[in-house]
Amino acid sequence: MEWLDKVQIYFVGNPNTAPNGWIYNYQTLVAGLLAFIAAFVAALLLWQQHRELIDRRYRALRASLPLALSELHDYTQECLQLLSNAIKYKQDPTAKLDGSLPALPPTALSTITELIAFANKQDAKMLQAILRQVQIQRSRLHSQFREMVAKTDDAMAPSYHQLKDDVLDAFVIQKMANHLFPYARWEVEHVPQEIDISRSHEYSMATIFPETFREYVSENLGKMVVRAFKDRT
């Protein structure tokens, strides 16, 4: 047990017996500093975990965005088919209006709404713009078709000009969705601010709509898409 002779015990209560007297004099400060460091490290770890959860949620929502945009595209296709039927109804009021208002895709709208909370500020504004446009389109379509579907006074039914606007609204949503697809597929880091309007809508226009409708959409589609994105708030 000779090694015990080399062990020295110090009592902090007596500064004269401590190897460094400042430990005794500043022991409260040292304890507080250590507690602060421990709390800071714990907070930093929690913050990192929180950021990781946010990043995972953002990536999950963005991974779901292509499906959400596809559902919006399908919704507008159903609207366009209904509008085509409405045009036939206007030409022959004795015919039955075939179709009812398509249901909005709730999962798609929920995905986009939640993604807005996690996305970059500029990306969030672009996502908000398409939600705003869907709300406008749905409100107009519901209001104008309510009387037509009910077969009430024909004077209350949508005019050809109103139907042209409804067709244009549907194509605007499609073009906005197409603009968001590169971002949704991770082809670009952020939603492009420059709006590139393709002419892919002409196939649908040629197959189900009269020439006057095709001309109206072709003339106004580009500027309406740009306006819809620029009007984002």
Side-chain angles (χ1 to χ4, degrees):
M1 305 295 287
E2 294 180 357
W3 61 273
L4 287 175
D5 295 336
K6 298 180 181 180
V7 175
Q8 299 180 14
I9 300 176
Y10 300 95
F11 296 94
V12 178
N14 184 351
N16 296 322
T17 64
N20 294 298
W22 68 269
I23 296 180
Y24 171 79
N25 295 326
Y26 298 101
Q27 58 183 308
T28 302
L29 178 62
V30 170
L33 181 60
L34 291 175
F36 172 78
I37 293 174
F40 176 79
V41 171
L44 181 61
L45 292 174
L46 287 175
W47 179 81
Q48 289 178 335
Q49 291 177 354
H50 180 64
R51 290 300 306 172
E52 288 178 2
L53 288 175
I54 289 178
D55 184 63
R56 289 179 183 177
R57 185 56 183 161
Y58 168 70
R59 290 179 174 276
L61 289 168
R62 191 164 165 182
S64 301
L65 186 57
L67 178 59
L69 296 176
S70 295
E71 289 179 355
L72 274 182
H73 191 279
D74 292 342
Y75 162 75
T76 56
Q77 281 298 113
E78 292 179 12
C79 290
L80 290 171
Q81 185 59 59
L82 178 63
L83 288 165
S84 176
N85 294 338
I87 295 169
K88 296 175 183 178
Y89 172 80
K90 290 288 290 184
Q91 295 170 344
D92 182 12
T94 61
K96 182 178 182 298
L97 181 60
D98 184 18
S100 57
L101 285 177
L104 285 167
T107 302
L109 299 180
S110 176
T111 296
I112 297 173
T113 300
E114 190 174 356
L115 182 57
I116 289 172
F118 294 93
N120 168 277
K121 183 177 180 180
Q122 291 300 321
D123 296 339
K125 288 182 177 180
M126 301 293 270
L127 293 167
Q128 184 177 346
I130 195 170
L131 285 185
R132 179 176 179 272
Q133 190 63 30
V134 170
Q135 293 169 352
I136 292 173
Q137 181 265 350
R138 182 66 178 187
S139 176
R140 289 176 179 171
L141 192 63
H142 180 269
S143 175
Q144 293 175 12
F145 266 77
R146 184 169 48 195
E147 295 294 334
M148 180 177 283
V149 173
K151 288 258 185 197
T152 57
D153 185 359
D154 188 62
M156 298 294 292
S159 64
Y160 274 113
H161 182 72
Q162 289 173 318
L163 291 174
K164 286 180 181 179
D165 285 335
D166 289 332
V167 171
L168 178 60
D169 283 344
F171 276 112
V172 167
I173 294 174
Q174 284 192 2
K175 291 302 150 189
M176 294 178 77
N178 290 344
H179 183 72
L180 293 172
F181 263 115
Y183 168 76
R185 293 168 177 160
W186 295 89
E187 296 172 4
V188 294
E189 187 64 26
H190 300 289
V191 180
Q193 296 298 303
E194 294 295 326
I195 314 300
D196 180 22
I197 305 301
S198 67
R199 302 174 65 86
S200 59
H201 66 280
E202 292 183 352
Y203 174 77
S204 295
M205 293 296 297
T207 54
I208 62 176
F209 291 107
E211 182 178 356
T212 55
F213 282 73
R214 298 198 300 269
E215 292 175 350
Y216 185 77
V217 172
S218 296
E219 179 182 352
N220 294 282
L221 180 60
K223 61 184 178 183
M224 289 301 296
V225 172
V226 172
R227 180 184 301 174
F229 275 125
K230 285 188 175 181
D231 285 347
R232 60 189 185 274
T233 55

